[in-house]
């Protein structure tokens, strides 16, 4: 029986990979085109510093996007990642500022908080069967409120690079200004791509996203693996929180909502289907770079803010249209 | 976000309704209008927008100082956070029920406080607005305000920047640029700080014989642009497309990347922070490089001033806000005619930031 399903699945699976690859290629070319366009239009854009700026803008969105890719592949959504990112960082910063924890311990606490809320989301969706949109909308509010409660609505400042506890910043930028964060982002992306495509949990997540019932009937513990996707999402939101703190130093309670949409936009531009079952980490990363290159590049051609939003919106719509057209061809 | 705002509003409305019922039952016989005859001291209730924040501690300090000097007893309260509208409404209601000689108020949400303000008016308790006051309150409800004149405060930033760049700007070969990062184009106070800076800067530059009238172009955001595109000095105002660290930092970076940039101004804590973050990779700021001036404080900005990246910043004077509010309240309680007071703004830099006058005004 096993042989039979494999035989039936292979051509479709091959076709799928082909079209996902096609999408990735288009997105990659679009990214190059956007970068070249800004480089021609603006001289200062061509600098190494601007490239570092694009990386800086990509770290936190990138981590959130890698994590939420897994949730979106299951056919769900995680709206809480934006506020969770800020909430984890606020908690870590408060532990450092108010309670004098060493920064290493604070960063572990940040990860723990992220994983905890990821698990909470996962249990609500997979065990309690709450719609992910509503469950994570609730967590979004909870984490936003929690950040304000813990900080007593005051902003939190992380140690600067020159401070004793500033060593964690070298994860993202070395003392001689090398953007080490891009290495970290790429390494984690490669690991997560392997997890998604080459390991059992990843394959189960892909499988339950395309057909939950069939996956369950073939004896896979869908509850467990669906829950895992949300835990991954929460953990990566915590990494995003650390990246945010290292890049922007000061965090304000009450912020963070809206970040998740940037991350989700990156995921969708990268070819992951909101319907679930299809997706790739590499595509997500490309999508994130498109978003951040646009966001950093548009001000360089001296466009006023409203035009920047306008154009970013158009690019998003165009990217999703390409995706929809491709997937229509697939079926 | 909207849901939570709605929830607060519902809570506020509920609390208001409950309190209104209590007030109607108990307040019928209330005839004693102005309090404070027994001990000789006038009683003044102050309801702030917060309590724990350093800013409000400084306001309270100024208020108590004025109370001591003018013979007034101050009761200073504030909600736990700036979103706790219902809690603040309750505090105002309590304050009004005590029949103080005057009430000083910095409202979180004008609409939620309208009923209570009406009750204070009926009880003939004069209301003084302080800090941001009670924006959009019905005419006559607030007898006077003690608040920062943000337009003038922006001018202070321009004056101090001009001192630092005067030599260079008058001897420059070709056009030079002064950049401004403003958080958004809708906030009244930020708009005033930006406009005040731009107008003062133009006035100071045009007064220089080497430059002359009509030599300054203001470009960038439509709200501030003066139609000129060419000049000896170009002031460029940039506003990020959204209030996010990333968008703000990018706007600051585009300014710092311009080779003709001589100086840069961030018109609130957020904008100053964005300039500092952008500078981290670009390394353009410094006493002999691009001159930077900020507004407000915060850990990052204070650090930038200490290390010489910023030459200094303008801060509001919360001590004066408290002091002047009480002074107005005492005068109003005596039935004297009162009018709005500008509580001023202070310039601070690495040299004077630990002075007794400055230190209470700064927050981390």
């Amino acid at each position: 029986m096993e042989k039979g399903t494999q035989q039936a699945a292979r051509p479709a699976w091959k076709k799928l990979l082909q079209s996902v690859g096609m999408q990735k290629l288009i997105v990659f070319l679009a990214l190059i085109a956007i970068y070249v366009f800004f480089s021609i239009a603006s001289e200062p854009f061509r600098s190494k510093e601007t490239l570092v700026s694009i990386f800086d803008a990509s770290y936190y969105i990138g981590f959130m996007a890698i994590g939420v890719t897994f949730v979106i592949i299951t056919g769900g959504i995680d709206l809480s990642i934006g506020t969770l990112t800020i909430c984890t960082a606020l908690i870590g910063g408060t532990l450092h500022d108010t309670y004098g924890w060493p920064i290493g311990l604070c960063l572990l606490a940040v990860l723990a908080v992220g994983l905890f809320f990821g698990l909470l989301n996962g249990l609500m969706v997979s065990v309690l069967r709450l719609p992910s949109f509503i469950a994570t909308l609730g967590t979004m509010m909870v984490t936003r409120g929690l950040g304000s409660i813990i900080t007593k609505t005051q902003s939190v400042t992380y140690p600067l690079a020159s401070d004793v506890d500033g060593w964690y910043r070298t994860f993202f930028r070395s003392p001689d200004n090398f953007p080490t964060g891009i290495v970290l982002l790429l390494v984690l992306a490669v690991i997560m791509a392997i997890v998604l495509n080459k390991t059992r949990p990843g394959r189960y997540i892909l499988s339950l996203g395309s057909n939950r019932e069939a996956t369950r009937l073939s004896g896979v513990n869908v509850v467990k693996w669906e829950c895992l996707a949300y835990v991954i999402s929460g953990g990566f939101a915590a990494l995003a929180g650390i990246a945010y703190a290292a890049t922007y130093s000061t965090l304000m309670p009450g912020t963070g909502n809206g970040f998740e949409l940037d991350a989700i936009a990156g995921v969708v531009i990268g070819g992951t289907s909101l319907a679930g079952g299809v997706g790739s980490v590499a595509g997500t990363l490309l999508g994130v770079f498109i978003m951040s290159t646009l966001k950093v590049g548009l001000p360089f051609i001296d466009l006023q803010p409203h035009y920047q939003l306008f154009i970013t919106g158009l690019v998003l719509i165009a990217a999703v249209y390409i995706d929809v057209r491709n997937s229509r061809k697939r079926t | 976000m909207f849901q939570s705002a709605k929830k607060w509003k519902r809570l506020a409305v509920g609390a208001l309704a409950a309190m209104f019922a209590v007030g109607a039952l108990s307040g019928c016989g209330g005839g004693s209008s102005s309090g404070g005859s027994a001990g000789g001291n006038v009683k003044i209730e102050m309801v702030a927008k917060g309590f724990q924040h350093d800013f409000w501690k400084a306001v309270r300090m100024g208020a108590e100082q004025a109370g001591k000097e003018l013979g007034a007893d101050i009761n200073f309260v504030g909600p736990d956070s700036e979103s706790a509208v219902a809690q603040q409404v309750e505090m105002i209601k309590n304050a009004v029920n005590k029949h103080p000689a005057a009430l000083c108020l910095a409202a979180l949400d004008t609409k939620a406080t309208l009923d209570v303000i009406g009750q204070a008016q009926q009880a003939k308790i004069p209301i003084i607005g302080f800090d941001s006051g009670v924006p959009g309150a019905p005419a006559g409800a607030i007898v006077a305000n003690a608040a920062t004149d943000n337009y003038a405060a922006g001018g202070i930033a321009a004056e101090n920047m001009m001192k630092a760049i005067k030599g260079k700007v008058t001897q420059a070969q070709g056009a030079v640029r002064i950049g401004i990062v403003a958080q958004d184009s809708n906030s009244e106070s930020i708009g005033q700080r930006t406009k005040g800076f731009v107008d003062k800067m133009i006035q100071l530059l045009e007064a220089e014989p080497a430059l002359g009238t009509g030599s300054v172009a203001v470009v960038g955001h439509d709200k501030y642009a003066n139609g000129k595109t060419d000049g000896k000095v170009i002031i460029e105002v940039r506003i990020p497309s959204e209030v996010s660290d990333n968008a703000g930092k990018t706007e600051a970076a585009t300014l710092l990347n311009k080779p003709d940039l001589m100086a840069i101004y961030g018109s609130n804590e957020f904008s100053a922070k964005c300039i500092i973050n952008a500078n981290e990779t670009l390394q353009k700021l410094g006493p002999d490089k691009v001159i930077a001036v900020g507004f407000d404080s915060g850990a990052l900005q204070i650090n930038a001033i200490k290390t010489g990246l910023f030459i200094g910043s303008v801060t509001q004077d919360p001590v004066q806000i408290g002091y002047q509010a009480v002074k107005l309240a005492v005068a109003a309680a005596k039935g004297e005619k009162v009018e709005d007071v500008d509580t001023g703004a202070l310039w601070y830099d690495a040299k004077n930031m630990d002075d007794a006058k400055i230190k209470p005004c700064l927050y981390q």
Side-chain angles (χ1 to χ4, degrees):
Chain A
M1 191 202 107
E2 204 187 5
K3 207 176 174 191
T5 45
Q6 251 186 6
Q7 261 173 1
R10 174 143 307 158
W13 179 78
K14 250 188 182 170
K15 243 198 249 166
L16 221 83
L17 187 84
Q18 236 172 356
S19 59
V20 167
M22 190 63 186
Q23 166 85 3
K24 251 185 278 179
L25 193 69
I26 293 171
V27 172
F28 182 69
L29 292 177
L31 175 62
I32 299 292
I34 291 171
Y35 190 81
V36 168
F37 168 76
F38 285 128
S39 299
I40 293 168
S42 157
E43 208 222 303
F45 184 85
R46 266 169 266 163
S47 67
K48 186 190 135 220
E49 286 78 15
T50 307
L51 198 59
V52 174
S53 278
I54 294 175
F55 292 159
D56 275 350
S58 306
Y59 299 152
Y60 72 103
I61 300 284
F63 285 135
M64 278 191 285
I66 290 175
V68 81
T69 300
F70 284 77
V71 171
I72 292 177
I73 287 173
T74 67
I77 194 86
D78 188 347
L79 297 177
S80 68
I81 47 172
T83 50
L84 180 57
T85 289
I86 298 298
C87 177
T88 58
L90 285 171
I91 290 175
T94 305
L95 289 173
H96 181 268
D97 287 359
T98 312
Y99 299 99
W101 288 26
I103 197 76
L105 224 63
C106 296
L107 299 187
L108 289 178
V110 165
L111 281 174
V113 173
L115 291 169
F116 170 78
F117 277 104
L119 181 65
L120 189 75
N121 281 335
L123 292 176
M124 282 194 292
V125 174
S126 63
V127 178
L128 302 181
R129 304 294 290 141
L130 296 180
S132 58
F133 190 94
I134 299 301
T136 59
L137 185 68
T139 321
M140 175 202 228
M141 293 175 190
V142 167
T143 48
R144 192 163 169 223
L146 185 65
S148 296
I149 292 167
I150 290 200
T151 57
K152 300 196 172 76
T153 73
Q154 296 186 29
S155 61
V156 165
T157 302
Y158 270 72
L160 302 172
S162 51
D163 295 342
V164 196
D165 263 351
W167 55 264
Y168 70 98
R169 282 175 185 255
T170 52
F171 291 147
F172 299 94
R173 182 181 298 147
S174 72
D176 55 352
N177 258 332
F178 180 80
T180 42
I182 192 68
V183 179
L184 186 66
L185 184 64
L186 290 176
V187 166
L188 282 168
V190 168
I191 292 174
M192 294 320 284
I194 293 171
V195 168
L196 180 65
N197 295 309
K198 305 282 179 207
T199 69
R200 212 184 310 167
R203 303 297 306 170
Y204 286 159
I205 284 172
L206 275 166
S207 160
L208 78 89
S210 66
N211 193 336
R212 193 176 201 273
E213 197 51 25
T215 312
R216 191 183 67 82
L217 288 175
S218 55
V220 174
N221 185 348
V222 286
V223 170
K224 186 163 107 190
W225 303 118
E226 187 175 31
C227 187
L228 178 72
Y230 289 84
V231 175
I232 292 173
S233 184
F236 271 85
L239 287 175
I242 296 171
Y244 198 92
T247 317
Y248 301 110
S249 306
T250 300
L251 294 115
M252 293 284 292
T255 58
N257 51 332
F259 292 180
E260 72 281 354
L261 298 180
D262 283 342
I264 292 168
V267 174
V268 175
I269 290 176
T272 297
S273 163
L274 282 174
V278 183
S280 82
V281 176
T284 291
L285 217 52
L286 288 172
V288 167
F289 281 126
I290 286 203
M291 290 293 283
S292 47
T293 307
L294 271 179
K295 284 196 170 192
V296 171
L298 284 169
F300 272 84
I301 53 171
D302 289 347
L303 274 185
Q304 296 215 4
H306 19 285
Y307 292 95
Q308 296 175 27
L309 283 176
F310 187 87
I311 292 173
T312 312
L314 287 186
V315 170
L316 180 63
I317 292 169
V320 178
Y321 172 70
I322 292 171
D323 178 42
V324 169
R325 215 187 48 175
N326 272 359
S327 60
R328 212 178 283 144
K329 267 192 212 149
R330 268 176 234 148
T331 49
Chain B
M1 185 179 102
F2 297 106
Q3 252 98 347
S4 75
K6 245 186 217 162
K7 202 178 102 192
W8 279 118
K9 241 173 230 162
R10 221 177 294 146
L11 257 173
V13 170
L16 266 173
M19 284 181 303
F20 189 79
V22 174
L25 285 173
S26 66
C28 295
S32 64
S33 55
S34 59
S37 49
N41 271 0
V42 279
K43 303 244 183 309
I44 292 168
E45 293 285 327
M46 285 186 93
V47 184
K49 283 158 93 169
F51 198 69
Q52 292 145 329
H53 200 292
D54 289 350
F55 182 86
W56 296 113
K57 286 183 186 152
V59 172
R60 183 180 186 175
M61 195 172 100
E64 280 168 354
Q65 196 184 328
K68 225 177 270 170
E69 284 172 23
L70 302 168
D73 288 336
I74 314 294
N75 183 34
F76 189 101
V77 294
D80 294 333
S81 84
E82 297 212 353
S83 51
V85 176
Q87 192 192 1
Q88 198 202 32
V89 170
E90 203 164 319
M91 287 174 163
I92 304 168
K93 176 71 192 171
N94 284 339
V96 170
N97 282 344
K98 287 187 195 166
H99 292 288
L103 169 68
C104 298
L105 182 57
L108 286 173
D109 183 329
T110 302
K111 275 185 197 148
T113 49
L114 282 182
D115 272 5
V116 203
I117 289 173
Q119 288 168 36
Q121 276 180 298
Q122 272 181 356
K124 303 222 157 33
I125 301 168
I127 304 177
I128 307 291
F130 68 104
D131 182 46
S132 53
V134 193
I142 310 300
V143 296
N145 283 293
T148 310
D149 180 343
N150 283 301
Y151 184 84
I156 294 176
E159 279 167 5
N160 283 282
M161 180 187 279
M162 188 62 186
K163 274 187 214 157
I165 62 170
K166 192 172 171 180
K168 275 202 272 181
V169 80
T170 49
Q171 285 159 22
Q173 311 283 329
V176 294
R177 189 178 301 266
I178 296 173
I180 301 175
V181 181
Q183 177 177 314
D184 65 52
S185 52
N186 300 325
S187 155
E188 174 75 18
S189 61
I190 291 168
Q192 288 295 312
R193 290 171 186 187
T194 309
K195 189 88 181 98
F197 178 91
V198 171
D199 289 353
K200 191 69 179 185
M201 205 68 201
I202 293 175
Q203 187 198 327
L204 291 171
L205 288 167
E206 292 190 340
E208 290 297 323
L211 301 169
T213 313
S215 59
V216 183
V218 185
V219 301
H221 199 269
D222 290 336
K223 187 175 173 182
Y224 302 99
N226 68 354
K228 290 201 190 83
T229 50
D230 245 352
K232 290 176 182 162
V233 181
I234 298 161
I235 297 178
E236 181 170 354
V237 188
R238 302 201 68 127
I239 298 177
S241 57
E242 53 186 12
V243 187
S244 72
D245 286 326
N246 176 25
K249 182 189 157 190
T250 306
E251 294 292 347
T254 54
L255 281 172
L256 289 176
N257 268 313
K258 304 214 167 171
D260 56 356
L261 188 78
M262 176 168 281
I264 190 164
Y265 166 56
S267 57
N268 73 341
E269 187 191 347
F270 169 81
S271 308
K273 176 189 169 187
C274 292
I275 295 171
I276 296 165
N277 278 332
N279 184 61
E280 203 150 305
T281 35
L282 295 168
Q283 302 292 336
K284 298 267 176 147
L285 301 181
D288 299 320
K289 298 191 273 181
V290 173
I291 299 295
V293 169
F295 207 112
D296 291 333
S297 37
L300 214 56
Q301 193 173 171
I302 289 174
N303 184 64
I305 293 171
K306 275 187 188 153
T307 54
L309 291 178
F310 272 47
I311 61 162
S313 295
V314 177
T315 173
Q316 299 190 68
D317 189 344
V319 181
Q320 273 298 309
I321 291 175
Y323 186 91
Q324 296 294 343
V326 167
K327 206 171 156 191
L328 284 174
V330 170
K334 289 180 184 156
E336 291 167 19
K337 199 168 157 37
V338 287
E339 51 187 42
D340 292 359
V341 175
D342 170 21
T343 52
L346 298 167
W347 170 258
Y348 71 100
D349 52 29
K351 267 177 277 166
N352 76 353
M353 66 197 296
D354 289 324
D355 288 2
K357 197 169 187 299
I358 303 287
K359 207 169 182 191
C361 302
L362 305 183
Y363 54 90
Q364 288 287 321

